[in-house]
């Protein structure tokens, strides 16, 4: 009976709704973080009003949230043709181009509006992606200054923050001094966490990698692939005698429990233990002065569950296809 009601609503009730009603349903689905459903309703709204710019902007957003980046790109470009002065749309197009590693196109797009701090941020990201780090630093600094002038503390500022870390700019105390007033006016939990962790007296430096020092290693701010790659630095710190407290994603706890060099593992929702110094995992190269020519090859720093190894070994033995 319930199924019949759903079919009746789908084929007889929904087509009768106005475009505005569809958008309200899309907004409701967005609030539930159901972006597939939101995209469905947004598409229905556009069938009614295909040239509505606000509907197109929403469609591009929902496409991006469903990881349909190339489709989102096309919609953002469509909006750009109709409204070339839409600064927010330019920023979104820069972003979706970055998500596809189209760095040159993202740079070209960013040059359409260099007065928007978000556009500048994505411009800096594009420059970083092309290895032009000095230019990236200059552009990101301009973006930071615009964020400060416009009091945009709660948005892209935190993304900017992580990128300054990647570029190892916090060795310069002047940079930290610039961030401090922004933290003082930002009352979010993330800002407080970053503010405390990155105080000069709390940040890990090479001369603080001493036996017995407790290092809070944050591996919860980057993707899984980056976590796997940079975990070598947790191993290096253990070799120097440090105690390693790893903050990571719940999905990775079981894997990292197999790593003998980790002393304590916790997730973002758990209370952090007392520690002496803090390090974002991806900031490990700064501590060890890593360059392309000095990356140390390790025999092993990640470990697999033996039962899973045996299980997949049996499965793959039956598969005679070429394996990469």
């Amino acid at each position: 009976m319930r199924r019949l009601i759903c079919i009746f609503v789908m084929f007889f009730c929904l087509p009768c709704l106005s475009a505005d009603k569809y958008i309200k349903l899309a907004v409701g689905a967005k609030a539930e973080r159901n972006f597939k459903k939101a995209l469905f309703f947004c598409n229905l709204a556009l069938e009614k009003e295909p040239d509505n710019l606000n509907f197109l902007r929403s469609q591009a957003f929902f496409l991006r949230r469903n990881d349909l980046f190339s489709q989102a790109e096309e919609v953002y470009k469509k909006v750009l043709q109709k409204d070339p002065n839409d600064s927010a749309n330019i920023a979104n197009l820069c972003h979706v181009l970055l998500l596809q590693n189209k760095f040159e196109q993202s740079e070209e797009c960013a040059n359409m509006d260099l007065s928007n701090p978000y556009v500048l941020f994505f411009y800096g990201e594009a420059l970083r992606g092309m290895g032009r780090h000095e230019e990236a630093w200059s552009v990101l600094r301009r973006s930071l200054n615009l964020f400060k002038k416009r009091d945009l503390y709660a948005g892209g500022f935190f993304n900017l923050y992580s990128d300054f870390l990647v570029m190892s700019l916090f060795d310069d105390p002047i940079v930290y001094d610039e961030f401090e007033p922004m933290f003082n006016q930002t009352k979010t939990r993330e800002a407080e966490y970053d503010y405390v962790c990155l105080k000069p007296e709390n940040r890990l430096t090479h001369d603080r990698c001493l036996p017995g020092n407790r290092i809070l290693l944050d591996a919860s701010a980057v993707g899984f692939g980056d976590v796997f790659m940079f975990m070598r630095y947790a191993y290096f710190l253990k070799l120097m005698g440090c105690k390693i407290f790893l903050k990571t994603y719940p999905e990775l706890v079981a894997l990292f429990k197999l790593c003998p060099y980790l002393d304590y593992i916790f997730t973002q929702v758990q209370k952090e233990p007392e520690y002496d110094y803090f390090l974002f995992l991806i900031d490990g190269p700064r501590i060890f002065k890593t360059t392309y020519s000095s990356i140390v090859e390790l025999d092993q720093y990640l470990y697999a569950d033996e039962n899973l190894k045996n299980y997949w070994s049996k499965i793959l033995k039956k598969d005679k296809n070429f394996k990469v």
Side-chain angles (χ1 to χ4, degrees):
M1 187 65 174
R2 187 176 179 182
R3 189 175 179 182
L4 288 173
I5 293 173
C6 291
I7 293 173
F8 177 80
V9 170
M10 180 70 68
F11 289 98
F12 295 99
C13 296
L14 280 180
C16 301
L17 297 180
S18 66
D20 288 336
K21 289 285 186 183
Y22 286 133
I23 286 298
K24 286 182 179 178
L25 290 170
V27 171
K30 175 187 174 184
E32 299 169 357
R33 302 192 67 78
N34 188 337
F35 296 109
K36 286 185 178 180
K37 187 176 177 182
L39 179 59
F40 170 76
F41 287 124
C42 188
N43 288 340
L44 289 176
L46 279 164
E47 287 180 9
K48 301 270 186 177
E49 299 182 24
D51 295 322
N52 189 308
L53 282 181
N54 288 330
F55 294 174
L56 286 169
R57 293 183 183 103
S58 296
Q59 183 189 44
F61 172 81
F62 296 136
L63 285 167
R64 178 163 60 85
R65 294 308 299 262
N66 282 291
D67 294 339
L68 300 171
F69 302 133
S70 61
Q71 294 180 46
E73 176 189 341
E74 292 307 311
V75 178
Y76 283 131
K77 286 179 177 178
K78 188 175 181 180
V79 173
L80 188 62
Q81 288 178 345
K82 295 176 179 292
D83 186 359
N85 297 317
D86 185 342
S87 184
N89 184 68
I90 292 172
N92 287 326
L93 179 55
C94 289
H95 186 197
V96 83
L97 289 167
L98 275 177
L99 292 172
Q100 301 172 83
N101 293 327
K102 296 180 178 179
F103 303 123
E104 293 84 358
Q105 292 183 42
S106 186
E107 178 187 15
E108 183 180 347
C109 177
N111 278 293
M112 298 177 67
D113 183 7
L114 297 177
S115 64
N116 183 326
Y118 293 97
V119 172
L120 282 174
F121 167 65
F122 295 129
Y123 183 17
E125 281 284 87
L127 291 170
R128 274 205 322 126
M130 293 183 283
R132 292 154 59 184
H133 297 291
E134 290 299 323
E135 292 177 75
W137 161 229
S138 176
V139 170
L140 287 170
R141 197 174 187 84
R142 285 163 59 193
S143 176
L144 173 61
N145 287 331
L146 283 177
F147 275 114
K148 289 168 66 177
K149 286 180 181 178
R150 300 187 184 185
D151 293 338
L152 297 174
Y153 299 121
F157 166 69
F158 296 114
N159 291 326
L160 266 176
Y161 199 29
S162 65
D163 279 278
F164 283 129
L165 285 168
V166 173
M167 297 171 71
S168 304
L169 298 172
F170 277 92
D171 283 340
D172 181 358
I174 296 175
V175 177
Y176 185 85
D177 291 341
E178 288 189 8
F179 275 92
E180 189 165 10
M182 300 175 78
F183 280 121
N184 288 337
Q185 298 183 47
T186 309
K187 305 302 180 183
T188 66
R189 181 176 177 273
E190 290 86 353
E192 183 180 359
Y193 174 74
D194 289 345
Y195 180 46
V196 171
C197 292
L198 286 166
K199 280 187 172 181
E201 60 267 29
N202 292 340
R203 286 192 299 116
L204 184 66
T205 55
H206 196 274
D207 60 324
R208 291 172 173 173
C209 300
L210 300 174
N213 277 347
R214 300 166 298 177
I215 311 301
L216 196 162
L217 195 59
D218 190 341
S220 67
V222 291
F224 287 6
D226 289 330
V227 173
F228 298 149
M229 180 169 64
F230 285 92
M231 275 301 291
R232 66 181 66 226
Y233 291 102
Y235 181 76
F236 292 157
L237 288 168
K238 190 64 177 180
L239 291 179
M240 300 176 78
C242 300
K243 292 185 177 180
I244 311 300
F245 302 156
L246 182 72
K247 179 180 180 181
T248 189
Y249 299 98
E251 298 91 335
L252 299 182
V253 169
L255 173 66
F256 289 141
K257 280 185 176 179
L258 301 172
C259 298
Y261 50 86
L262 300 175
D263 296 283
Y264 181 68
I265 303 169
F266 65 105
T267 66
Q268 302 103 314
V269 297
Q270 294 174 299
K271 185 177 179 181
E272 62 195 40
E274 291 187 6
Y275 63 92
D276 298 306
Y277 299 109
F278 175 90
L279 179 70
F280 277 111
L281 181 64
I282 56 173
D283 206 22
R286 176 178 63 83
I287 300 297
F288 291 93
K289 308 295 182 186
T290 305
T291 65
Y292 289 119
S293 60
S294 67
I295 296 176
V296 178
E297 292 188 16
L298 300 173
D299 290 335
Q300 186 173 14
Y301 61 92
L302 294 175
Y303 300 82
D305 181 277
E306 287 299 324
N307 291 328
L308 287 175
K309 283 174 64 176
N310 293 334
Y311 171 78
W312 284 106
S313 177
K314 292 177 183 177
I315 295 292
L316 293 174
K317 277 183 179 178
K318 301 175 184 178
D319 187 348
K320 303 302 182 184
N321 292 315
F322 183 75
K323 300 176 184 62
V324 179

